[in-house]
Amino acid sequence: MASRRTDATSRKTEASTPARTIVLADNDTLILEAIGELLRNKDYEVHPARDGLEALRAIRSVKPDVVILDIIMPKLDGSRICAMIRHDPTLRHTPIIALSSLSPEQLRRFPALSADAYVAKGALGVMANNVLMAIKHVDERGRGDLSG
């Protein structure tokens, strides 16, 4: 009987653990829906944003565990959002995963971009797997060196 209580307590503790939150910002509806569904199926609470301003509002209100951020978006680009996050004392430790179709050479045009991981856009299955690996990477390594 004691083991039943322990099992029930374990399940209750697991069930009461809050979902990890992710702000997913991309102006591509297909990516928002597909990657959002993938993350929800992995028990993440996903807050989608379709442009930079919407993303910034969501990040400031939700204070997510991870931000997945497209670089080229309307209203405010991902590089500027990165800079704002890194300068905000309450958000600066938030891991950022840049999700972009830009080449490494093109990414150099965004000096304020300070993501902790980068995922190239491409075939949906490959991209989805890479997003999950990037989340695992930032979970294991954390935010990294904040001085630079």
Side-chain angles (χ1 to χ4, degrees):
M1 185 121 168
S3 68
R4 285 186 191 165
R5 286 186 188 148
T6 304
D7 290 344
T9 304
S10 295
R11 280 193 300 263
K12 186 176 180 181
T13 302
E14 289 172 11
S16 64
T17 302
R20 296 206 43 221
T21 57
I22 293 180
V23 169
L24 173 61
D26 200 302
N27 58 313
D28 185 324
T29 303
L30 176 64
I31 290 174
L32 276 181
E33 290 176 4
I35 300 298
E37 182 178 338
L38 167 80
L39 295 172
R40 282 186 288 279
N41 287 338
K42 298 288 183 183
D43 295 325
Y44 289 98
E45 181 181 314
V46 180
H47 299 267
R50 297 184 190 284
D51 64 56
L53 287 176
E54 194 176 318
L56 190 58
R57 280 188 215 108
I59 293 164
R60 286 180 171 161
S61 77
V62 172
K63 296 185 178 31
D65 296 299
V66 178
V67 173
I68 301 174
L69 189 61
D70 188 10
I71 306 306
I72 306 296
M73 289 188 291
K75 299 185 183 175
L76 194 60
D77 69 52
S79 175
R80 289 184 182 181
I81 296 169
C82 274
M84 291 176 188
I85 290 171
R86 297 302 180 226
H87 287 97
D88 184 326
T90 62
L91 297 171
R92 67 177 289 176
H93 297 285
T94 306
I96 299 171
I97 299 169
L99 180 63
S100 182
S101 58
L102 297 175
S103 70
E105 295 79 30
Q106 292 170 317
L107 283 172
R108 289 189 194 117
R109 296 182 195 153
F110 296 91
L113 184 61
S114 59
D116 302 293
Y118 296 86
V119 174
K121 288 183 179 180
L124 198 52
V126 173
M127 184 175 53
N129 186 52
N130 289 341
V131 164
L132 292 175
M133 287 189 334
I135 292 170
K136 182 179 179 185
H137 170 80
V138 297
D139 282 348
E140 290 172 355
R141 294 194 55 204
R143 174 55 200 107
D145 178 20
L146 297 174
S147 63

